[in-house]
Amino acid sequence: MSETNSAAETAAPHRYTAAMAADIEARWQDFWDAEGTYEAPNPTGDLAGDPELAARPKKFIMDMFPYPSGAGLHVGHPLGYIATDVYARHQRMTGHNVLHTLGFDAFGLPAEQYAVQTGTHPRVSTEANMENMKVQLRRLGLGHDNRRSFATIDSEYYKWTQWIFLQIFNSWYDSEADRARPIAELVEQFENGTRATPDGREWGGLSAAERADLLSEYRLAYASDAPVNWSPGLGTVLANEEVTADGRSERGNFPVFKAKLRQWNMRITAYADRLLNDLDGLDWPEAIKLQQRNWIGRSEGARVEFPVDTAGGITVFTTRQDTLFGATYMVLAPEHDMVERIIPAAWPEGTHPVWTGGHASPAEAVTAYRKQAAAKSDVERQAEAKDKTGVFTGAYATNPVSGEKVPVFIADYVLMGYGTGAIMAVPAHDARDFAFARAFELPMRCVVQPSDDRGTDPATWDDAFSSYDAKLVNSANDEISLDGLGVVEAKARITEWLKEHGVGEGTVNFRLRDWLFSRQRYWGEPFPIVYDEDGIAHPLPESMLPLELPEVEDYSPRTFDPEDATAQPETPLSRNADWVNVTLDLGDGAGPRKYRRETNTMPNWAGSCWYELRYLDPNNDRQLVDPSIEQYWMGPREGQPTGGVDLYVGGAEHAVLHLLYARFWSKVLHDLGHISSAEPFHKLYNQGMIQAFVYRDSRGIAVPAAEVEERDGAFYHAGEKVSRVLGKMGKSLKNAVTPDEICAEYGADTLRLYEMAMGPLDVSRPWDTRAVVGQYRLLQRLWRNVVDEATGEVTVVDTEPDEDTLRALHKAIDGVGQDMAGMRFNTAIAKVTELNNHLTKAGGPLSRSVAERLVLLIAPLAPHIAEELWRRLGHADSVVHQDFPVADPAYVVDETVTCVVQIKGKVRARLEISPAITDEELEALALADEAVVAALGGAGIRKVIVRAPKLVNIVPA
C-alpha cells in the first residue's frame, strides 16, 4: 500500500473501497440466499408462496443456457446475465412477480473431449465446472431463484427429455387437422379401413416389420437410412446447422462428408409452414426472423414427373415450370436412390464419349463418380466451380411436355437435401445448367425471349439468360401453347395442364430438412428405444424412465483420419455389451423378451429444447409441468397470442439451431395438449459481444494482452513489436479478463455498472480495463453523498429539497424508468450519473427523500451498495421489492423553453415560454413581441406557421 493511499484511508476510514465493496457484497449475497429474496412464487404446487405476490402481473425472464466450461467466465460472458438481472430487478420494483433463474446445458462434446484427454469422467469435470461458474455468477449479485436451477445431466431432468422424445416418436402430423396427433389414432385409421395402406393390403395382413416400416413414414421421430453429414475427425454425424459455410464441423473445424447411415431424425419439416407463419406474432429482431425464413426456405412451384422406360419416373421440383419446354437433360444427385434402378448394363449406342468419363460401363462410371462426390462437402458441391463435373447414367427420361428423350446425368451440383434431389436442366436459362451443358456438349433451347440483342440461339450466347419479366417462346405442343405469355400466366397454364395429364401438380417446397437427431457420442441423453430380434424399434414405457447413462471406461467415439470419407461410426455405448443387450418386459403383452438398446445418444440441443418449462415446475416427478403453472407463466395472453417467455436474451448465433428446434418441440407439445403455449419465447433480445484487443507476434501467435506495453502509438511484448486487432475475448487469444479480477479490484457493482454503461446492449463493444474506474468513482460519489467517510454516519437531513434539486430528481426518475423498461441501461446510468453529479455540486447534506429515491434508482444496476445504503437509511426491508420511484409530471417538464421566431427564415426574436403553451397563445405572443413588430416594419402578414413550443415562422405579405 502506498503512503498516499494509507493517509487517505486513515483520513477517511469509511470511504467506499474495493475492500468495503467486497464486504458489503458478500454480506448481502448471504442475506439474499438466507431470506429467499428472489424466490418467485408459483400460483400452486410446492413452490407456491406469498399469494399477494403471485397475484401480481407475471414476468418470466430468461437467459440462454450457459455451458459449464472448464475455463470459467471471462467478462464477456456475464453481459447478458447482468442485463437480464437489471431488467428483472426493475420489473420487481414496478409491481411484477418475476421468475428469473439459471441452469446449465451440461451434455455435449467439450466435456467428452476433456474426458478423453484426461481420463476424467465427463460428469466429474462438468460438475466441477458448474460449481466454479456458480461461485463466479453469485459474486455478480445475480437475483436468481436458485430453487429452480438444474443441469441437463441430472437424471430427473433428462427423464423428461426422454419422455418428450417418446411423445414425438408416438406422434404423427395430420395435415388435414394441421397438428400432431397420437400415433395410436393413425393405427386405428389403418385398422378400421378409413385410411388405406400404400399397397392396398389390410392392416391385419401386414407383418410386424411391415407395420413398423409404414408407421415410420409418419412418425415425427423416426430412424432411416439417409445421407448424413459424417465427420470422421469427430467420429460423429452432424446436423446441417452444425456444418459451417466452408463444409467443416462447427466444433473442431474438421472436414464433413456425405455418408449413408441409419440415424434418428425429427420430422421438423411437417411444421415448416407453422414455423414460418408464427414468426409474425413474435417480438424478435427482424434479422433473426429473416434467418429462420431463409433457412425454412418456402418456395412455390410444381412437381413434374419425367417417365423413364424401365423404372417408373423421376420427380423434380421446379419453381420455373414455365420453362419445361426448354429442359434438354436431367441431373440426379449422386446419392439419389433412382440411380441404381435406371442404370443399363451398357452404354446406349452413340453415347457421346464426353458423357462417359472414360469408363467402360455406366455402372463403373457411376461408382467412380459417387466416390469422388462423397469426398466433397455440400458447400463445395454448390460452389460456382469453373469446371462442371458429372457422368451420364446411360438412361433417358421423357420430357412430359415435348415428348423428347433427355439424357439423365448425375452431378455433384445437385444435392439430395434440396427439392427431390433431381432437376430438369434448362441450360439456356440457368447459369449452372448452362456451364454443365457447355462442358458436356448438351443441347440448349431458348424458351424465354431475351430482352437484349443476343438473339434466340443459345449456341451463340456467352451465358444463360434468366428473367421473370419476359415472354415465353418455343413452348408449344399439340395441346398447349405458352408462346407470348408472361412468366406468371405461363406457370399457371402449364401447372393446370400437368395436373390434367397426371404428370405433375402445383406444390410448395421447403429448404428445411428433417433434423438429424443422432450422435455417435457418450456424453448425451440415451434414447429410450430398444430393438427386438427383428430390428423393430420399441419405446420404453414411462415407468422405465429415466434410462440412465451407464458408466463406461472408454468415453471416446472412434475417430478416424479426418480425410477418410469411407470410415464408419462406432459409438462408445456399443462397447458396453451388458448395457446394450437386455431382457425386458415392456408391458405390451409380449412378456419378457431380448432387446438391444439404441447406442447413439441425443444431440446436445435436446436438453435446451424445453428447459424453459422445467424452470416453471422443477421438482415435478409426475408430469412434465403442471398445466396451471405453465398457463400462469407462459400461457397465451393479450399481445402474446402464442404465449411464451416474456423476455429471452442470448446470442444471435443460435438463430437456426436452438431457436428453431425449441420452437418445433413447443409446437408438438402444444398439439398434444401438454402445454398451452405454442411458442417458447415471445420476446427475443440479442445482446452484443464484449470484444478485446488481440496482440500477435511476428509468427502470428497471440501473446498475453496484459503483458503488452504501448510506446509512441506502437505495441511491444518482451521488447518485440506486436500487431493489435480487435477481436473476440477468450483464453486461446490470451486476452481474457475474468470477472473475478475486476471484482477484486473494484467490486461487483462496479463491474455491473461498467458492462451496462459501455454502450447499447445490442451492439458489440471493446473492453477497456482502464475505463472501469469511471463507474467505481460514481459509486464512491454516491456513497459520499449519503455517508460521512470519516465517521461512517448517514448525513441526510429531514428537510425539503430545493426546486432545482426536485427538478433534477424527477427528470432522472422519469428518464431512468423509461430507459430501464426499454433495456437502455447505458443511458439510464448516464442519467443517474447526471443526477448524482448535480447533488454533489449542490453541496450540503441531502434531503432524506432525495437520498432514498437516488438509492432506489440505482438499485437494479448496483444492488449491493443500494441494499447497504437502504439499510443505513433506516429501512429493515430489502430494497429488492421496494417500489421504483415515480416522477412528478410537474417537475419533469422544463419551467420554460426557448421559442425561436423567424421572419423570412431569419431569427428575429427568442421567447421564453411555457412548454404547455398552445399554438394560438404562442402566435399571439410572437406577433406582439417588440422585436418582431419592429422587424415587420408595418408590413402585412401572409402566413404564420406555429410549431409550439419551439418555433414560429412568419411569412410577410
Side-chain angles (χ1 to χ4, degrees):
M1 182 183 298
S2 70
E3 291 183 15
T4 303
N5 288 341
S6 178
E9 290 185 13
T10 301
H14 298 279
R15 174 173 293 174
Y16 183 82
T17 62
M20 178 183 282
D23 174 65
I24 290 171
E25 289 163 5
R27 281 192 289 105
W28 284 109
Q29 287 161 17
D30 290 342
F31 173 86
W32 294 331
D33 285 348
E35 297 295 317
T37 302
Y38 303 110
E39 293 177 0
N42 280 343
T44 185
D46 65 315
L47 297 186
D50 181 357
E52 185 179 334
L53 183 54
R56 293 181 176 185
K58 63 88 188 180
K59 193 69 75 169
F60 185 7
I61 299 165
M62 266 181 66
D63 302 277
M64 286 191 184
F65 245 174
Y67 188 85
S69 163
L73 299 175
H74 60 62
V75 292
H77 291 124
L79 177 67
Y81 306 149
I82 295 171
T84 52
D85 186 63
V86 174
Y87 182 75
R89 289 175 181 278
H90 178 253
Q91 290 297 304
R92 286 191 193 94
M93 297 177 76
T94 52
H96 294 83
N97 182 22
V98 177
L99 170 51
H100 189 212
T101 190
L102 196 69
F104 294 92
D105 191 13
F107 274 127
L109 193 57
E112 185 173 278
Q113 290 178 324
Y114 183 77
V116 172
Q117 293 164 7
T118 64
T120 307
H121 192 285
R123 180 174 293 280
V124 173
S125 59
T126 301
E127 289 181 345
N129 295 343
M130 283 193 288
E131 288 307 310
N132 180 49
M133 285 182 66
K134 285 177 183 177
V135 170
Q136 288 185 296
L137 290 168
R138 184 179 186 271
R139 192 170 185 181
L140 297 173
L142 303 179
H144 293 148
D145 184 344
N146 292 321
R147 303 171 304 164
R148 300 174 184 263
S149 185
F150 56 80
T152 55
I153 60 175
D154 300 338
S155 59
E156 58 268 29
Y157 179 81
Y158 70 73
K159 164 188 174 178
W160 295 105
T161 307
Q162 293 170 335
W163 181 88
I164 295 171
F165 173 84
L166 292 179
Q167 306 313 300
I168 299 173
F169 174 77
N170 285 320
S171 302
W172 63 292
Y173 199 84
D174 184 345
S175 56
E176 293 181 4
D178 202 22
R179 67 177 181 88
R181 296 172 61 184
I183 201 76
E185 295 181 12
L186 179 65
V187 172
E188 184 180 351
Q189 291 180 14
F190 282 129
E191 285 178 338
N192 63 28
T194 56
R195 182 182 293 267
T197 61
D199 61 6
R201 287 189 292 163
E202 291 187 1
W203 178 255
L206 302 180
S207 68
E210 288 173 326
R211 291 179 184 179
D213 287 344
L214 176 54
L215 292 179
S216 190
E217 296 297 316
Y218 290 85
R219 292 186 189 274
L220 289 178
Y222 64 95
S224 69
D225 293 312
V228 296
N229 301 305
W230 164 234
S231 175
L234 283 178
T236 188
V237 298
L238 303 170
N240 289 340
E241 297 87 343
E242 295 174 298
V243 181
T244 69
D246 298 322
R248 303 178 78 85
S249 63
E250 187 180 51
R251 175 77 64 178
N253 199 37
F254 290 107
V256 175
F257 305 97
K258 281 295 180 186
K260 206 163 191 178
L261 299 170
R262 190 160 187 81
Q263 303 289 312
W264 282 97
N265 297 272
M266 293 274 181
R267 207 179 300 275
I268 191 173
T269 49
Y271 283 83
D273 267 323
R274 283 171 60 184
L275 289 168
L276 196 61
N277 295 336
D278 286 355
L279 284 170
D280 293 339
L282 300 180
D283 185 3
W284 284 20
E286 281 304 317
I288 300 295
K289 288 185 179 183
L290 181 61
Q291 285 187 66
Q292 289 216 352
R293 290 187 182 109
N294 290 341
W295 192 261
I296 295 167
R298 187 181 193 277
S299 54
E300 295 185 10
R303 287 184 179 268
V304 185
E305 191 86 4
F306 281 69
V308 180
D309 293 340
T310 58
I314 298 172
T315 303
V316 304
F317 171 80
T318 176
T319 58
R320 290 300 303 268
Q321 60 267 40
D322 55 304
T323 64
L324 253 170
F325 284 93
T328 57
Y329 67 97
M330 299 188 73
V331 184
L332 303 181
E335 305 88 355
H336 201 294
D337 58 10
M338 281 289 290
V339 175
E340 289 89 349
R341 289 153 54 187
I342 65 174
I343 297 175
W347 294 116
E349 186 176 347
T351 296
H352 197 310
V354 175
W355 297 2
T356 69
H359 294 280
S361 70
E364 289 180 23
V366 167
T367 299
Y369 189 77
R370 279 180 154 177
K371 185 175 181 181
Q372 173 186 329
K376 294 182 181 180
S377 70
D378 283 1
V379 175
E380 289 173 317
R381 287 169 57 169
Q382 287 183 293
E384 294 293 337
K386 195 169 185 180
D387 299 322
K388 292 294 178 188
T389 65
V391 69
F392 179 41
T393 63
Y396 286 84
T398 302
N399 184 321
V401 295
S402 68
E404 296 176 346
K405 295 288 186 181
V406 295
V408 181
F409 284 75
I410 62 171
D412 61 12
Y413 76 91
V414 176
L415 305 176
M416 275 307 299
Y418 297 92
T420 64
I423 66 164
M424 62 174 209
V426 184
H429 307 294
D430 180 272
R432 292 189 304 171
D433 294 347
F434 184 93
F436 190 90
R438 279 285 165 88
F440 288 88
E441 300 178 23
L442 288 156
M444 300 189 220
R445 179 179 299 110
C446 173
V447 293
V448 179
Q449 181 69 51
S451 55
D452 51 28
D453 58 0
R454 67 175 67 197
T456 58
D457 181 7
T460 64
W461 296 358
D462 294 326
D463 55 14
F465 172 78
S466 180
S467 174
Y468 273 85
D469 187 21
K471 302 293 184 183
L472 275 293
V473 295
N474 302 323
S475 298
N477 60 27
D478 293 340
E479 299 179 4
I480 185 173
S481 174
L482 306 181
D483 291 345
L485 299 180
V487 170
V488 174
E489 188 179 354
K491 288 173 76 170
R493 183 81 61 84
I494 194 66
T495 301
E496 184 180 349
W497 186 91
L498 290 168
K499 186 173 183 179
E500 288 174 357
H501 288 72
V503 290
E505 62 178 345
T507 189
V508 174
N509 194 56
F510 294 91
R511 180 180 182 268
L512 181 68
R513 299 295 95 192
D514 282 346
W515 173 17
L516 179 69
F517 201 70
S518 293
R519 295 295 182 273
Q520 290 65 50
R521 299 204 289 254
Y522 168 70
W523 195 232
E525 298 92 341
F527 282 93
I529 293 289
V530 292
Y531 300 90
D532 64 24
E533 292 174 329
D534 296 322
I536 298 173
H538 296 265
L540 292 181
E542 186 177 334
S543 61
M544 290 187 180
L545 302 181
L547 172 59
E548 296 196 22
L549 194 63
E551 297 292 326
V552 298
E553 291 184 4
D554 184 2
Y555 317 113
S556 57
R558 185 181 176 192
T559 56
F560 304 86
D561 180 336
E563 303 291 342
D564 184 3
T566 64
Q568 293 289 308
E570 179 187 294
T571 63
L573 291 179
S574 66
R575 299 191 284 265
N576 189 336
D578 291 342
W579 184 83
V580 173
N581 301 302
V582 290
T583 299
L584 301 172
D585 184 347
L586 301 182
D588 54 4
R593 295 178 63 189
K594 291 182 178 179
Y595 296 98
R596 175 178 54 83
R597 295 195 192 278
E598 172 62 69
T599 60
N600 287 309
T601 53
M602 297 186 197
N604 57 301
W605 307 106
S608 60
C609 277
W610 72 282
Y611 71 122
E612 70 283 355
L613 298 172
R614 193 62 176 175
Y615 284 152
L616 308 182
D617 198 10
N619 304 317
N620 197 332
D621 60 0
R622 302 174 310 282
Q623 59 191 141
L624 181 72
V625 60
D626 183 295
S628 63
I629 294 173
E630 187 272 337
Q631 174 71 48
Y632 172 83
W633 288 110
M634 291 184 63
R637 62 203 63 220
E638 186 177 353
Q640 299 183 18
T642 50
V645 172
D646 296 291
L647 176 66
Y648 192 38
V649 175
E653 66 272 14
H654 296 302
V656 295
L657 287 160
H658 158 63
L659 289 173
L660 197 60
Y661 299 155
R663 295 183 64 214
F664 165 54
W665 277 36
S666 284
K667 291 186 183 303
V668 177
L669 291 171
H670 171 76
D671 286 357
L672 298 176
H674 298 299
I675 58 176
S676 65
S677 48
E679 287 282 345
F681 315 115
H682 172 70
K683 180 178 177 63
L684 174 69
Y685 191 99
N686 296 132
Q687 86 273 15
M689 181 188 298
I690 290 184
Q691 300 170 304
F693 287 111
V694 182
Y695 299 90
R696 297 185 184 276
D697 62 21
S698 57
R699 301 166 297 170
I701 297 174
V703 301
E707 299 173 9
V708 172
E709 297 178 356
E710 182 178 357
R711 297 199 301 267
D712 300 325
F715 303 94
Y716 297 86
H717 177 260
E720 179 190 353
K721 192 172 183 179
V722 293
S723 64
R724 184 181 81 162
V725 64
L726 194 61
K728 293 177 69 173
M729 181 179 285
K731 186 176 179 181
S732 64
L733 297 173
K734 300 181 181 178
N735 62 353
V737 178
T738 70
D740 307 54
E741 298 171 52
I742 304 302
C743 289
E745 189 166 356
Y746 299 106
D749 280 340
T750 295
L751 173 63
R752 291 170 60 102
L753 280 171
Y754 176 65
E755 294 216 0
M756 294 299 95
M758 291 171 75
L761 184 59
D762 58 351
V763 175
S764 293
R765 73 293 303 269
W767 176 267
D768 183 359
T769 299
R770 295 169 300 180
V772 177
V773 71
Q775 300 307 318
Y776 181 54
R777 288 173 182 151
L778 165 62
L779 294 179
Q780 288 184 314
R781 288 192 295 270
L782 170 70
W783 180 266
R784 196 179 301 126
N785 275 333
V786 179
V787 177
D788 187 298
E789 292 183 338
T791 66
E793 297 297 318
V794 171
T795 58
V796 301
V797 293
D798 293 320
T799 58
E800 286 300 308
D802 60 44
E803 184 83 5
D804 286 347
T805 296
L806 282 173
R807 196 165 297 283
L809 173 66
H810 286 280
K811 279 188 174 182
I813 291 171
D814 181 60
V816 171
Q818 292 185 48
D819 287 344
M820 290 280 192
M823 299 182 72
R824 298 182 297 273
F825 304 127
N826 59 319
T827 54
I829 292 169
K831 292 179 175 70
V832 171
T833 303
E834 185 179 355
L835 172 62
N836 196 54
N837 289 344
H838 170 89
L839 299 174
T840 302
K841 290 174 184 175
L846 291 190
S847 161
R848 172 175 292 277
S849 64
V850 173
E852 289 182 345
R853 281 178 282 188
L854 174 62
V855 169
L856 293 172
L857 278 183
I858 204 167
L861 293 154
H864 306 92
I865 194 173
E867 283 280 27
E868 184 70 16
L869 291 174
W870 189 249
R871 180 61 58 91
R872 291 188 180 221
L873 284 165
H875 300 281
D877 295 337
S878 167
V879 78
V880 170
H881 291 286
Q882 300 304 311
D883 290 339
F884 198 78
V886 177
D888 183 339
Y891 292 107
V892 171
V893 294
D894 290 322
E895 278 189 293
T896 62
V897 294
T898 301
C899 175
V900 172
V901 183
Q902 295 179 336
I903 301 175
K904 289 185 178 181
K906 292 185 178 180
V907 177
R908 297 298 185 180
R910 299 180 189 274
L911 309 177
E912 294 299 316
I913 47 97
S914 165
I917 195 169
T918 66
D919 285 359
E920 293 76 12
E921 291 170 335
L922 182 55
E923 180 177 343
L925 276 176
L927 294 177
D929 183 81
E930 292 180 6
V932 171
V933 172
L936 285 171
I941 298 172
R942 181 158 61 90
K943 190 176 185 182
V944 179
I945 302 168
V946 181
R947 298 286 184 266
K950 294 293 184 70
L951 175 68
V952 176
N953 194 5
I954 301 171
V955 182

